[in-house]
Amino acid sequence: MTAIRLLLVDDDPLVRAGLSFMMGGADDIEIVGEAADGSEVAALVDRTHPDVVLMDIRMPNVDGLTATEELRARKDAPQVVVLTTFHADDQVLRALRAGAAGFVLKDTPPTEILAAVRRVAAGDPVLSPTVTRQLMAHAAGSSHDTRQSGARTRIATLNDREREVAVAVGQGRANAEIATELFMSVATVKTHVSRILAKLGLNNRVQIALLTYDAGLLEEDGR
């Protein structure tokens, strides 16, 4: 079994020590480096080639949001899971829009943090439908009208079937659920999701969900 290469980023040395102790004890996870600030992340990624970066959002110099945006703009970027103390926070939303695969709370039980890293390494986002809806509700505000226009323009590039799949992703449906609901195979769903990501220039399913929300498609669907 190939171990998941993990980079820890947090400005609190006690938090890093706790995460390192907890994560390093798993047989399938290898801690390849630690950083105390977002300014250190790019060089460490170049040197250690992690699969997943566990990234604190609030750091004194370069914050986790900026570091995430820089990482996810790179070719073959590692997956990013953001660490936060809030369920629904503007910075969490910005990190997800930048391409983070999900987030975990700092008081999350160790087994759940381990599970989150494994899921992200396997290509699955770390957001339950409940949390996704909570974040989307938090996203509503004065800037929503502006975002909606741009989101609708991007969604218009999808064909009807891709749009249906995008909406289902926005509703928090898993691939198997989408396949059943739309009468297609799971493999076909995966193909549609891959095409949606490519057409819209997105990194993961979380960004699809946020874009469908911004476009007002979930409201139209009555969800």
Side-chain angles (χ1 to χ4, degrees):
M1 177 188 297
T2 302
I4 299 166
R5 298 174 62 81
L6 179 66
L7 175 64
L8 303 176
V9 184
D10 196 293
D11 64 324
D12 187 332
L14 291 179
V15 172
R16 291 201 311 275
L19 289 170
S20 182
F21 177 79
M22 174 184 68
M23 310 296 279
D27 293 337
D28 60 338
I29 292 179
E30 176 187 1
I31 307 296
V32 296
E34 297 181 16
D37 190 75
S39 61
E40 304 170 18
V41 172
L44 269 175
V45 167
D46 287 338
R47 188 163 70 247
T48 63
H49 305 290
D51 301 305
V52 179
V53 178
L54 198 55
M55 180 93 71
D56 185 24
I57 283 191
R58 292 173 175 83
M59 290 180 285
N61 297 312
V62 175
D63 62 26
L65 171 62
T66 301
T68 296
E69 290 173 335
E70 292 175 352
L71 277 186
R72 294 303 299 170
R74 297 165 58 155
K75 184 179 179 180
D76 300 323
Q79 296 292 342
V80 176
V81 178
V82 295
L83 283 167
T84 182
T85 54
F86 296 93
H87 278 281
D89 176 86
D90 287 332
Q91 288 185 303
V92 173
L93 282 164
R94 289 177 61 193
L96 295 175
R97 293 186 191 282
F103 74 91
V104 293
L105 299 177
K106 288 193 174 182
D107 59 359
T108 298
T111 54
E112 293 183 22
I113 296 180
L114 283 167
V117 169
R118 290 172 179 138
R119 284 184 58 189
V120 165
D124 296 323
V126 185
L127 284 179
S128 68
T130 299
V131 172
T132 300
R133 286 192 294 270
Q134 182 180 7
L135 283 167
M136 288 176 179
H138 185 71
S142 59
S143 63
H144 180 65
D145 289 342
T146 301
R147 290 199 312 269
Q148 186 177 80
S149 177
R152 284 181 177 270
T153 298
R154 296 175 71 187
I155 290 291
T157 64
L158 304 179
N159 62 39
D160 290 344
R161 204 56 162 162
E162 290 165 347
R163 185 179 183 277
E164 289 178 328
V165 172
V167 170
V169 170
Q171 293 165 350
R173 303 276 199 273
N175 285 342
E177 294 175 309
I178 297 172
T180 299
E181 184 174 297
L182 299 182
F183 304 103
M184 62 177 70
S185 69
V186 172
T188 301
V189 174
K190 290 180 179 179
T191 298
H192 280 307
V193 170
S194 295
R195 288 175 179 168
I196 291 165
L197 292 171
K199 280 188 175 183
L200 300 180
L202 302 176
N203 290 302
N204 54 46
R205 296 167 71 98
V206 174
Q207 289 186 321
I208 295 175
L210 289 169
L211 190 67
T212 58
Y213 173 81
D214 286 346
L217 298 184
L218 304 187
E219 297 168 5
E220 292 173 2
D221 191 61
R223 303 277 174 166

